[in-house]
Amino acid sequence: MATLSRIGTVLLRHKSAIARPSGNVLRVASISTSKRNKDTITVTDAIPAQSKSATDEVAVNKNWVSWGFSIRSETEDNTRMHLIFLFSVTLCLVTGGFIFAYMPDYKLRDWAQREAYLELRRREAEGLPLIDANLISADKVELPSDEDLGSTEIII
Amino acid sequence: MLKFILMVLLMTLIADSWLAIQLSLFLASFIFGVYSLNGFTFSCLGLSLGLDYIGYILILLSFWIMALVVGSSQKVENLKDFNGIFLLVNIFLLLSLVLTFSCLDYLMFYVCFESSLIPTMILILGWGYQPERLQAGVYMLFYTLFGSLPLLISILSLYSMGGSVTFNLSSLPECGMSLMAVWYICSVMAFIVKLPVYLVHLWLPKAHVEAPVAGSMILAGVLLKLGGYGLVRVCPLFIQSAVTFSWFWVSVGLLGGIFVSFICLRQTDMKALIAYSSVAHMGLVLCGLSVFSWWGLSGAVSVMVGHGLCSSGLFCLANMVYERLGSRSLLISKGLLSFMPTMALWWFVLSAGNMAAPPTVNLLGEISLILSVVSWALLAMIPVALLSFLSAAYSLYMFSLSQHGKYFSALFSCCSGKVREYLILILHWLPLNVLVLKGSVLVC
């Protein structure tokens, strides 16, 4: 990107050289402005002399490489790294993952399967059909008439 | 359920401290995530807020993606770019999302659905990078509002004619087929625009490209799923009309996905490529939701969760490249394997997730969706096969164009990957690839 802009400005400089008229002609332009009758100044409080505090003397590694969590200070960056890794990895991924993996009978699936097997065993023992041919009683089913069906394919 | 809303509201009080918000978002994800151990029946049901399995997984996704959003927007804090307000806007977005996924009646759902637009607009306009973000915000706002005003009318007429707006307790009065059809179209258009589906998808590439990384991640990660969630809630009211019109949505979803996948292959802007791939994925989700089968619903939810993690991760990666190189163009940000080889691992793994390679959640969802759509109509086999093939094509295109080859000669130097960036990416990838081992969490 930087190279592109540098090349660009070089081209511009050449272009203006080409566009410059030949022969040195002195051109004078006069600009008129109104007299300055207002001016703004800023007023700041007097800055007190900074005294050296104890924290300044802690050795600061001049070339510290940030973990990415803070660009201001190494200690803040380090603290944040430890805390964020603790909460995200240790808490959410590891602990949460453990709970998810070993959660007992999520959505009662195992219970439902056990109940189904028990019911099957009961029916086999009593000689009943394992599943009723009319699971929904026949009088509740509304079949479409022949005209409504038309040419729809019936798959059984 | 109100306790989680309170938790999110209390986060606004600590919005000055970046670290506190980040830790509390991870904590909230953990607490919410493990809260479902005993089932929702008596722990999360209130008078106006409640949970079922779809709402649960999408709220968990919202909390998790928001935590990752705050993690990847470190530049906002470094530059002191109104970081307090940034966090506040994100928290309000999270609040509206959690409310949307947990509310129990249609009117409140509508209010929260619309209220998620405002923080997104503020994010795009306030922290976006180019002047084109003005038009992008306008597109997003007006496309969504155009679709959702008929939804408001249909909810209000549901209340006045049906007597109730509570989710499973309301039903339509007896009315003619044509009125039912109009009612159905009015209700469903908002979600069709939000998903988005091919013919009304133009807001998405604009909004995603112009949004800052936070906006892109949240848009791709959660806001698109609002459309899918809304369809799950609204379609059972209109079963007859929905079944009559499902052929249209399946066709638009499949063919639109194919057209958009071809458009992906022609993109030079990384973020636009990922945005168009979102449209293709959501097209398949719409097909799954329109065929009204159990496989379709569970596949749709799985693809929504997987796509949320994957697309959000890809936008995060694209932003890392943008922060270093200053450009999103694939012509400039190429040959990155030479500069950041470890980042190329994450590019590969997330691109593989995007094309539904095993063992990701996307694969689980895509298999369920393919099964459901092909069982609905055998002819759908051809567009579905083309969609799968093209998703592999553009994912590979994006990966190889950005990573392989000789790096752009004008690139002087760029910073290697920071630990924070690798952490955010692994937090995207680990749920994506490991949650498939506990697929019963996603499958309804």
Side-chain angles (χ1 to χ4, degrees):
Chain A
M1 280 313 283
T3 322
L4 275 176
S5 51
R6 262 182 264 136
I7 293 168
T9 49
V10 163
L11 281 172
L12 273 172
R13 266 185 264 135
H14 286 306
K15 186 173 180 288
S16 58
I18 296 164
R20 224 180 285 138
S22 53
N24 289 329
V25 178
L26 192 66
R27 291 175 197 273
V28 174
S30 58
I31 307 166
S32 74
T33 53
S34 60
K35 247 200 223 158
R36 223 190 233 184
N37 51 7
K38 251 198 286 194
D39 211 347
T40 48
I41 56 165
T42 55
V43 177
T44 55
D45 299 323
I47 301 168
Q50 301 274 358
S51 58
K52 261 202 162 187
S53 62
T55 47
D56 283 352
E57 279 154 26
V58 171
V60 169
N61 182 5
K62 243 180 30 173
N63 296 321
W64 67 284
V65 177
S66 168
W67 293 120
F69 294 100
S70 165
I71 53 170
R72 279 182 294 273
S73 85
E74 195 182 356
T75 43
E76 188 187 15
D77 186 46
N78 219 15
T79 317
R80 282 189 178 191
M81 185 271 289
H82 284 301
L83 279 172
I84 290 172
F85 266 81
L86 176 74
F87 273 74
S88 63
V89 178
T90 313
L91 191 64
C92 293
L93 290 184
V94 175
T95 318
F98 174 77
I99 294 174
F100 256 65
Y102 291 102
M103 227 160 19
D105 199 12
Y106 188 60
K107 291 187 194 172
L108 293 175
R109 236 181 221 194
D110 301 336
W111 171 85
Q113 204 170 36
R114 281 195 306 269
E115 289 294 310
Y117 276 123
L118 286 170
E119 177 69 10
L120 280 175
R121 190 168 70 176
R122 183 190 71 88
R123 286 194 179 192
E124 275 171 8
E126 291 179 12
L128 292 170
L130 293 178
I131 185 161
D132 198 4
N134 279 340
L135 200 60
I136 306 167
S137 63
D139 48 359
K140 283 191 183 171
V141 177
E142 280 177 31
L143 289 171
S145 66
D146 279 331
E147 321 158 337
D148 287 341
L149 272 178
S151 60
T152 322
E153 198 188 333
I154 302 172
I155 308 164
I156 297 175
Chain B
M1 204 46 229
L2 214 56
K3 45 188 152 322
F4 301 110
I5 311 289
L6 186 66
M7 205 190 290
V8 175
L9 276 174
L10 287 176
M11 281 186 211
T12 56
L13 298 174
I14 47 170
D16 302 326
S17 160
W18 198 269
L19 179 69
I21 292 289
Q22 201 156 355
L23 298 180
S24 56
L25 282 167
F26 280 122
L27 190 66
S29 317
F30 175 70
I31 293 177
F32 183 78
V34 300
Y35 200 73
S36 67
L37 269 178
N38 295 323
F40 309 121
T41 330
F42 294 105
S43 58
C44 278
L45 190 62
L47 286 176
S48 63
L49 298 176
L51 274 187
D52 67 349
Y53 293 106
I54 305 178
Y56 162 75
I57 199 72
L58 287 173
I59 297 182
L60 186 58
L61 186 69
S62 310
F63 272 118
W64 190 247
I65 296 284
M66 192 52 84
L68 299 179
V69 157
V70 173
S72 61
S73 304
Q74 188 66 37
K75 196 171 187 186
V76 169
E77 204 218 351
N78 291 347
L79 296 175
K80 292 279 186 222
D81 190 12
F82 298 98
N83 42 346
I85 302 179
F86 178 80
L87 287 175
L88 216 59
V89 167
N90 275 316
I91 291 167
F92 278 120
L93 183 53
L94 179 66
L95 182 70
S96 66
L97 286 171
V98 172
L99 276 173
T100 316
F101 290 128
S102 63
C103 62
L104 287 181
D105 52 270
Y106 288 105
L107 200 55
M108 177 148 165
F109 171 74
Y110 175 80
V111 168
C112 302
F113 178 79
E114 293 302 303
S115 67
S116 68
L117 273 180
I118 295 170
T120 319
M121 268 293 273
I122 298 176
L123 270 180
I124 294 178
L125 294 180
W127 286 271
Y129 305 123
Q130 284 93 19
E132 285 85 0
R133 68 188 191 269
L134 295 169
Q135 198 197 35
V138 165
Y139 260 70
M140 187 187 78
L141 199 65
F142 284 102
Y143 263 74
T144 315
L145 286 177
F146 170 75
S148 64
L149 193 60
L151 174 66
L152 178 63
I153 296 172
S154 93
I155 290 173
L156 292 175
S157 40
L158 174 69
Y159 185 61
S160 77
M161 286 163 60
S164 154
V165 277
T166 316
F167 267 157
N168 289 329
L169 299 175
S170 55
S171 63
L172 292 179
E174 290 295 321
C175 53
M177 278 303 284
S178 48
L179 176 62
M180 181 88 85
V182 169
W183 212 339
Y184 168 71
I185 296 290
C186 283
S187 316
V188 143
M189 267 326 280
F191 309 117
I192 297 298
V193 170
K194 196 77 181 179
L195 255 182
V197 162
Y198 173 63
L199 298 168
V200 286
H201 71 290
L202 279 177
W203 65 272
L204 186 87
K206 286 189 187 293
H208 268 130
V209 165
E210 303 304 331
V213 65
S216 288
M217 283 170 74
I218 267 290
L219 264 171
V222 193
L223 286 174
L224 301 188
K225 287 53 187 170
L226 277 175
Y229 179 79
L231 278 175
V232 168
R233 294 301 187 204
V234 161
C235 279
L237 281 178
F238 299 97
I239 286 279
Q240 266 182 321
S241 297
V243 167
T244 318
F245 285 107
S246 62
W247 60 271
F248 182 69
W249 299 127
V250 173
S251 315
V252 167
L254 287 178
L255 289 178
I258 293 172
F259 296 150
V260 151
S261 306
F262 277 120
I263 295 175
C264 263
L265 286 170
R266 295 285 299 147
Q267 287 302 317
T268 51
D269 184 340
M270 259 190 293
K271 279 176 103 171
L273 203 154
I274 305 166
Y276 278 113
S277 83
S278 295
V279 180
H281 285 285
M282 290 299 120
L284 199 56
V285 165
L286 177 67
C287 296
L289 291 172
S290 308
V291 300
F292 287 104
S293 69
W294 186 86
W295 279 96
L297 176 64
S298 68
V301 171
S302 306
V303 169
M304 285 202 282
V305 168
H307 171 265
L309 289 164
C310 194
S311 263
S312 171
L314 282 170
F315 275 116
C316 205
L317 277 168
N319 177 65
M320 288 172 198
V321 173
Y322 181 73
E323 276 177 1
R324 288 164 171 75
L325 275 69
S327 166
R328 291 186 313 261
S329 165
L330 280 168
L331 305 167
I332 291 179
S333 58
K334 65 183 177 81
L336 294 175
L337 195 62
S338 320
F339 280 109
M340 297 185 281
T342 315
M343 204 61 87
L345 166 69
W346 301 111
W347 271 103
F348 174 73
V349 149
L350 287 169
S351 299
N354 204 17
M355 67 170 106
T360 58
V361 171
N362 300 54
L363 178 73
L364 178 68
E366 205 157 297
I367 289 180
S368 311
L369 286 174
I370 291 174
L371 278 169
S372 71
V373 167
V374 171
S375 77
W376 182 84
L378 212 55
L379 189 60
M381 207 165 37
I382 302 169
V384 146
L386 212 55
L387 200 62
S388 280
F389 168 73
L390 286 170
S391 79
Y394 61 68
S395 299
L396 283 174
Y397 169 73
M398 178 177 66
F399 173 73
S400 77
L401 205 59
S402 63
Q403 306 304 306
H404 295 159
K406 193 165 187 302
Y407 55 83
F408 183 53
S409 52
L411 187 56
F412 185 62
S413 70
C414 82
C415 166
S416 177
K418 295 285 184 195
V419 164
R420 169 187 63 85
E421 295 168 342
Y422 294 138
L423 175 69
I424 300 296
L425 289 169
I426 206 173
L427 291 174
H428 273 111
W429 170 78
L430 214 74
L432 185 65
N433 262 343
V434 171
L435 208 54
V436 74
L437 297 171
K438 189 86 184 171
S440 60
V441 174
L442 299 164
V443 158
C444 303

